[in-house]
Every structure is written in C-alpha cells, then in structure tokens.
C-alpha cells in the first residue's frame, strides 16, 4: 500500500465507516464541539463546503435528535458545496460557489428573515503544494465564509472555519477578531500533525459599529495599519481539541481495538456520486472512447 493510501486509512477513517459517517471529517467537528460546546442552543446552521456531508450528518443528528423535540421542530440546516451531495434528511442542499455573492443571497433566502446561530466552513481548495498559494486560496474561502456570516449570523453567534497554519495566519486571525469577541485556533486530535489545517473558532459575533456592506471593502483600508502593528498584536490562543481519550491520527492501531472483539469490515458510507471520470466511464461503456493502452 502506498504512503498516501496508508495515511488516509487511519483509525478515524475506520471509525467513520463503523459509525456511519460519510467522511472522517465528522470527528473534527465532534472534537471541536467537545472543547467549545459550539452546539449549545443552536437551531439554525449554515454548513459551507459541506460535501460529501459528514458535518451535515453530525449537525442533523444533533439538531433533530429525539431527545430534543422542541429543537427538532424548528431547526434548519442549509448546506452548500460546489459538488453534488447525496440528500440527508432535514438538510437543505444548495450547489454553489461560496465565493459567489449570489450564493449568500440563496442561503439568506432559505432562512426567511431569520438569523443563523452557527456557520461552519470546512472548505478546502485543491492544494498545489506551494504553501503561499494554497494558504491564499484557503483564506479566500475563510473570507467568503466571513462575508456570508456577516449577512446571516445573529449577534453573539459562532463561526468555525478551516484555516491553514501558514505565514499569514496572524493576519487572518486579526481580521477575524474585528468581527468576533473571541477567536481561537483549534487543532482537533483527529487532524494529522503533518497537515497544516486547523480551525478558527470565532465566538461572540459582534460586527463593528461602522460596518455596512461587504467584508473585503471594510477590511481593505485597515490592512496597511494592521500589517505595521502585527508584531505587537496579542496572538490568538492555539488549542488541541478532543478529549483525553481521543485516538491519535498519526498513530497506527491494531484492527481489534477491544480485546476479544472481532474486526468487521464496513463499506464506505457514501461512494463518490459524480466523480470527475464519470463521463469517461460512461463513454467507454457506450464504446465512444477507446480502451486505455496500458502496454
Ligand atoms: N465538511 C465536509 C464533510 O464533512 O463531508 C468535507 C468538506 S471537504 C474537506 C472540502 C469541500 O470544499 C469540498 O467538497 C469542495 O467541493 C468544497 N469547496 C471548495 N471550494 C469551494 C467553493 N468555492 N464553494 C463551495 N464549496 C467549495
């Protein structure tokens, strides 16, 4: 088995299949919840960059639980992604680009004038391996998430967004701090050490008094001043999250986790529904594409 495939099939990959999550990412949100209690009193949620849907699954299990019927009757989850997603009961799905202002309009439309309690964004671009460029594109997704949050999040609400711990992280957290009372960078235990990803947990949404309009327009004039002060700004806390007992994503565990228990294979919960090679496959079946020459 090659290095990359070994890396991907860790303990969380297995647990995701066993517990019925569409992706191991589910554990990232669960571990963030464990440390920050972000689901407290939450009924209205926007899940940005949601495919294949494991965060939406976590949210729907939380919001539509039998135990809290009152919440279940009024809850709303709107999930957005560039990719198609297999439906999840109780989750409104929207196919769109979160950096396109029309997407925000559509999300707002689903909320019928109500405000969201929580906006989460696990957006990841196709990384190219050049840290500066990957970080720049990733931060565009964070900014898009912030832009949508300013239009839909209630005062006091929470935004959680995936960030890259690259050279510009201090600048990004400083910008986020203009809109949130508390910003923390969290690294769930299920996120591999080798990965630059972390999550900005932004609590207590408090838009600046003079904020109207678009985030980028508001922040752009502040940037030169912030850049000059960056070295003297207080760094935001960085915390590991997930309980003491949480598995380490970088360790290898035996197949049988509990003594005497037999390991059972579980098929993936959601195989890709529209992979990029789908059209080629269809054409091959119809005899419109020559067989690959592997010689
Ligand atoms: N949270 C998801 C889950 O639990 O299943 C996993 C998200 S996956 C790591 C990253 C997603 O970001 C991909 O599905 C990708 O299509 C989406 N994405 C990247 N750029 C986007 C954009 N501009 N607009 C919407 N979705 C985007």
């Amino acid at each position: 088995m090659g290095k990359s495939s070994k890396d991907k099939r860790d303990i969380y990959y297995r647990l995701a299949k066993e517990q019925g999550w569409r992706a191991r990412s589910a554990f990232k949100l669960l571990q963030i919840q464990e440390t920050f209690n972000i689901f407290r009193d939450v009924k209205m949620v926007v899940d940005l960059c949601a495919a294949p849907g494991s965060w939406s699954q976590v949210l729907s299990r939380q919001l539509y639980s039998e135990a809290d019927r009152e919440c279940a009757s009024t809850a709303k989850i709107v999930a957005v992604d560039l990719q198609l997603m297999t439906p999840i009961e109780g989750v409104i799905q929207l196919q769109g680009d979160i950096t396109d202002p029309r997407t925000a309009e559509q999300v707002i439309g689903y909320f019928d004038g109500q405000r969201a309690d929580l906006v989460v964004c696990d957006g990841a671009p196709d990384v190219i391996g050049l840290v500066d460029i990957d970080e720049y594109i990733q931060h565009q997704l964070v900014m898009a998430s912030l832009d949508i949050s300013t239009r839909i999040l209630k005062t006091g609400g929470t935004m959680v967004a995936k960030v890259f711990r690259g050279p510009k992280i201090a600048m990004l957290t400083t910008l986020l701090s203009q809109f949130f009372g508390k910003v923390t960078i969290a690294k769930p235990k299920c996120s591999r050490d080798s990965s630059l990803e972390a999550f900005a947990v932004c609590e207590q949404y408090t838009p600046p008094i003079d904020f109207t309009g678009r985030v980028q327009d508001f922040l752009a004039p502040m940037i030169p001043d912030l850049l000059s002060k960056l070295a003297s700004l207080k760094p935001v806390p960085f915390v590991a999250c997930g309980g003491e007992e949480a598995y380490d994503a970088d360790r290898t565990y035996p197949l049988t986790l509990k003594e005497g228990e037999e390991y059972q294979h579980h098929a993936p919960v959601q195989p890709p529904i529209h992979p990029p090679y789908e059209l080629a496959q269809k054409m091959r079946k119809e005899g419109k594409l020559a067989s690959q020459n592997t010689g």
Side-chain angles (χ1 to χ4, degrees), residues 62-80:
Q62 168 73 28
L63 270 61
Y64 300 120
S65 81
E66 279 292 304
D68 190 351
R69 284 177 182 276
E70 199 221 308
C71 175
S73 61
T74 48
K76 191 170 274 182
I77 304 168
V78 177
V80 185

Side-chain angles (χ1 to χ4, degrees), residues 116-191:
D117 307 294
L118 174 66
V119 174
V120 294
C121 176
D122 190 23
D126 289 334
V127 289
I128 58 167
L130 295 172
V131 174
D132 282 349
I133 295 179
D134 289 339
E135 188 187 21
Y136 174 79
I137 301 171
Q138 178 69 36
H139 290 179
Q140 292 308 303
L141 295 181
V142 181
M143 281 298 134
S145 169
L146 176 62
D147 201 29
I148 293 176
S149 296
T150 60
R151 306 181 62 190
I152 193 77
L153 196 58
K154 71 173 192 195
T155 301
T158 305
M159 179 183 92
V160 175
K162 191 200 314 263
V163 296
F164 274 3
R165 290 171 300 146
K168 310 280 184 317
I169 184 83
M171 187 64 185
L172 182 71
T173 53
T174 305
L175 296 180
L176 293 173
S177 302
Q178 310 302 312
F179 289 85
F180 292 90
K182 190 172 168 211
V183 176
T184 310
I185 298 297
K187 179 80 173 169
K189 283 194 178 167
C190 61
S191 174

Side-chain angles (χ1 to χ4, degrees), residues 33 35-43 62-63 117-118 154 156 158 203-204:
Q33 154 64 9
T35 303
F36 294 91
N37 199 12
I38 54 170
F39 297 158
R40 190 187 46 235
D41 299 330
V42 162
K43 287 185 177 175
Q62 168 73 28
L63 270 61
D117 307 294
L118 174 66
K154 71 173 192 195
T158 305
E203 297 168 276
Q204 303 158 14

Side-chain angles (χ1 to χ4, degrees), residues 10-18 253-257 263:
D10 68 350
I11 182 80
Y12 286 103
Y13 174 88
R14 244 172 72 195
L15 291 175
K17 290 204 284 174
E18 287 173 16
Y253 292 87
L255 276 181
T256 46
L257 286 173
Y263 174 71

Side-chain angles (χ1 to χ4, degrees), residues 6 25 34 42 48 56 74 101 103 124 155 175 191 193 195 209 227 229 236 238 246 262 279:
K6 177 176 174 280
S25 316
E34 225 175 301
V42 162
L48 299 171
S56 286
T74 48
T103 307
T155 301
L175 296 180
S191 174
D193 282 349
S195 160
I209 298 165
L227 274 175
K229 288 191 204 139
V236 302
F238 181 87
E262 206 171 306
L279 179 62

Side-chain angles (χ1 to χ4, degrees), residues 1 9 14 26 53 56 64 73 89 106 145-146 149 157-158 167 188 191 196 201 217 231 260 266-267 271 278 280 294:
M1 195 183 278
R9 293 173 195 187
R14 244 172 72 195
S56 286
Y64 300 120
S73 61
E89 212 184 324
Q106 284 175 290
S145 169
L146 176 62
S149 296
T158 305
S191 174
L196 282 182
V201 180
D217 301 336
H266 296 259
E278 187 177 64
T294 53

Side-chain angles (χ1 to χ4, degrees), residues 23 25 49-55 81-83 96-98 122-124 141 162:
S25 316
C49 303
S54 76
W55 281 26
D81 201 286
L82 286 172
Q83 312 279 344
D97 180 349
I98 67 160
D122 190 23
L141 295 181
K162 191 200 314 263

